[in-house]
Amino acid sequence: MLAVLMLEQTVQIVSNERDTDSYFRLVLRAPLIAPLIQPGQFAHVRVWPLKDALLRRPFSIFQVSGDTFSILYKTVGKGTDALARLGVGEELSVIAPLGHGFTVPERGGETPLLVAGGYGMAAMYLLAQRSPQRGIVFVGGRRRVDILCETEFRALGWDVRVTTEDGSHGEKGLVTEPLIAELRRKPPVPHRKVFACGPTGMLKAVGKIAEEYNVPAELSMDEHMCCGVGVCLTCVIPVKTGNGWEYQRTCTEGPVFEARQVEWEETR
Amino acid sequence: MNLSIKIGKLKLPNPVMVASGTFGYGVEYAQLLDLNQLGAVVVKGIRLDPVRGNATPRTVEVASGLINAIGLQGPGVDGFIKKYWPFLKTLKVPTIINIWGTTVEEYAEVVGRFDALGGVGALELNVSCPNIKKGGAQFGTDLKLLAQVVAACRKVTKLPLITKMSPNVVGIGPFAQAAEDAGSDALSIMNSYPAMAIDIETRRPKLANVTGGLTGPCIKPIAVKLVWDAARAVKIPIIGMGGIQNAGDAIEFMVAGATAVAVGTANFYEPQTPLQVIAGLREFMEKHGMKDVKEIIGSVQIVK
Ligand SMILES: Cc1cc2nc3c(=O)[nH]c(=O)nc-3n(C[C@H](O)[C@H](O)[C@H](O)COP(=O)(O)OP(=O)(O)OC[C@H]3O[C@@H](n4cnc5c(N)ncnc54)[C@H](O)[C@@H]3O)c2cc1C
Ligand SMILES: Cc1cc2nc3c(=O)[nH]c(=O)nc-3n(C[C@H](O)[C@H](O)[C@H](O)COP(=O)(O)O)c2cc1C
Ligand code: FES
C-alpha cells in the first residue's frame, strides 16, 4: 500500500482571482492539509453550487504557503465556471493531498527540465520550488494568455523558455521544439531529468523525445476521475508490466508515472 | 436503541453498508472514515482470474447521476487474498465479498474459495453487471440461469448468500422468488440500469464501452419501487440501494421493505455519506420514539 496521507476538509476561500483570460487562482485556507502536500499531488474539490453535477473536480496543487494552498484553474465547463463565481469566505470541500507526485531531485542530483502546457504549469511550481538545484522550464501554450506563472518561475531563478503556437509571446511553435534543442546541446547539462505536465498529446510527445535522447522522464497524466482515492477505477491508464500491461489508477499510482512505463499503444 | 439487523445468519451492527464497486477494498477509505462504524464493508466484484477491465473513458457524469462501464477490473481471487484480505480481516465489522463469473461453475468455484478462506461475512453474487459481454447480467435476467447459479453456489457454502438483482427485468417478483427458492439468504436491489450518453459534437458515445450502467440519485425512485415489489414477493431480507445520499433516502428504502441499505455513488463525492446516514437514522428513530430499527422496515402505508 502506498502511504498517502489524505484528509477531507471543509476549507475557506482566501482569494479567487482572475489570472489571465480564463485562468483563475484560488487560495484556500487548509492548515491541516497544507503541510502534507508533495509536488505533483492534487486536490479533489467538491463545488457545492453544482447541485445535480455530483462529482468532485481534480486540480493540481499549485502553491503552498503557511496554512494555505492554491490551485490555478482554467474555466472549461460547469464545475470550473461555478468555481470562478465563488467569493472570499465561501467554503468548499476538498480531499487532499492525493496521488503519487513527482520525485524531487536530491541535492547535487538531477538537473530538472520541466515541460508544461497550459494549466500543466500549476503542477510544476512546487517541484521547482523544492528542487535543490535550479533547472530549465519549458512553457508552452496556444496564445500569450496561456502562458502562466512565468514571473514566479523567474523569481525562483529558473531559466524560462516560452513558446506560443501563434507566436504572440516567446518563440513561435510547440513546447517540444526548445526541449529537443536543449537535449541536443553539446555538452549536455549533467544528470538531466525531464518532468512534464500538460495535455495528453504533449505528454506523449515528451515521453517519446525523452526516450529518444535516453533521458529519464516523469509525466503527470490527466485522466477523468470520480472518486480520486482509488476505489472506482475510472482514471486508469495502461502501464507496462513484466509481460504485458495493466491498467493503473491515475489518482493513486499516479498522476505521475515514469514515461517509459506508459503503454502509449493502448491509450486512446 | 437497537440498530442491528440480520442477513441470513450474519449479524450487522447497523443496517448501513457500502455498495460493491464504490468502496474499493475498504483500505482506500480507511484514512477518511472509521470503517468499523459501518454495517459491513462490501468489496468490488471479484472473479477467479485477474480482469483488466474496459478501455477508457469508463465513466461519465450525467444529471444527478453517473454512467459507468468499468468492466469489473480486479485482481482475481488469489490477488485479492494476497493484497487486500490481510487488511479486511482486521476489521471488526463483516466483509461481504461480491463475486462474479462467466459460467455457473466459475461462480461456484469462487464461492468455494471464499468459503474455504474463513472469516468472510457473506457472499454477494453479482448476476447483474451490465458492462461485461459474458457473465453478469446474462444470469440475472434469465429465470432459469439465475436459479442455477444460486443453487450451485448454495451447494458449496453455508455462508450467507446475497443475490444482487438486475433492475432490467419486466417484473422483479419472479426473479426475487427464484433466488429465494434456490437458497439465497438475501437480495441486493438494485445494480445499475443500462444507459448511454453521446457527445453531440463528435457524435460519439461518451463511454469507450458505448453503453454503461446508470447509478446515483437519479435512479433512486426506480430502486425504491423495485424494493417494494420484491418485498411483497419474498420473505428473505432485502438490501436496498440506488442513489442513497442521506438518511432520508435510506429510510425511504427501509419503509418500502428493505432490511438494510447500501451507499454507492455518493461515496465518490461525499465519503462521509454512510456515517451521516447512520447518524441520521438514529436521529429519525429518536424523533419517532422507535427502539428498534426493524420498526421502520416495510412500514409503508398504502391507503386504498
Ligand atoms: C490530476 C489532475 C490535475 C488537474 N489539474 C488541473 C489544474 O491544475 N488546473 C486546471 O484548470 N485543471 C486541472 N485539471 C483538469 C480539471 O480537472 C478539469 O478541467 C475539470 O474537472 C473540468 O470540470 P468542469 O466541470 O469545468 O468541466 P465539464 O466538462 O463540465 O466536466 C464534466 C466532467 O468531466 C471531467 N473533466 C472535464 N475535463 C477534464 C480534464 N481535462 N481532466 C479531468 N477531468 C475532466 C470533470 O471532472 C467532470 O467530471 C486536472 C485534472 C487532473 C486529472
Ligand atoms: C463505478 C461503479 C462500479 C460498480 N461495481 C460493481 C461491482 O463490481 N459489483 C456489483 O455488484 N455492483 C457494482 N456497482 C453497482 C453498485 O454496487 C450499486 O448497485 C449501484 O451503484 C446503485 O447504487 P448507487 O446509486 O448508490 O450507486 C458499481 C457501481 C458503480 C458506480
Ligand atoms: S478516480 Fe476513482 S480510482 Fe481513480
Side-chain angles (χ1 to χ4, degrees), chain A residues 1 3-8 44 46 52-57 78 93 95 223 226-227 229-234 236 244-249 268, chain B residues 21-24 27-29 31-32 44 52-59 61-66 70 73 83-84 217 245 268-272:
Chain A
M1 280 299 111
V4 227
L5 193 52
M6 60 172 99
L7 289 165
E8 178 181 1
H44 214 22
R46 179 115 196 251
D52 81 338
L54 302 168
L55 299 178
R56 288 170 183 264
R57 269 50 178 168
K78 39 189 182 303
S93 166
I95 302 176
E223 267 298 332
C226 284
C227 69
V229 300
V231 301
C232 74
L233 306 173
T234 289
V236 298
W245 61 273
E246 65 181 17
Y247 282 121
Q248 291 189 3
R249 300 162 298 184
R268 320 168 235 145
Chain B
T22 67
F23 213 74
V27 63
E28 299 87 342
Y29 274 126
Q31 289 182 24
L32 296 181
K44 171 78 186 163
R52 184 180 266 165
N54 290 332
T56 57
R58 286 176 167 187
T59 60
E61 183 186 68
V62 294
S64 292
L66 178 76
I70 306 296
Q73 180 177 334
K83 201 164 169 202
Y84 299 109
Q245 300 193 90
F268 298 156
Y269 51 95
E270 186 38 79
Q272 306 303 323

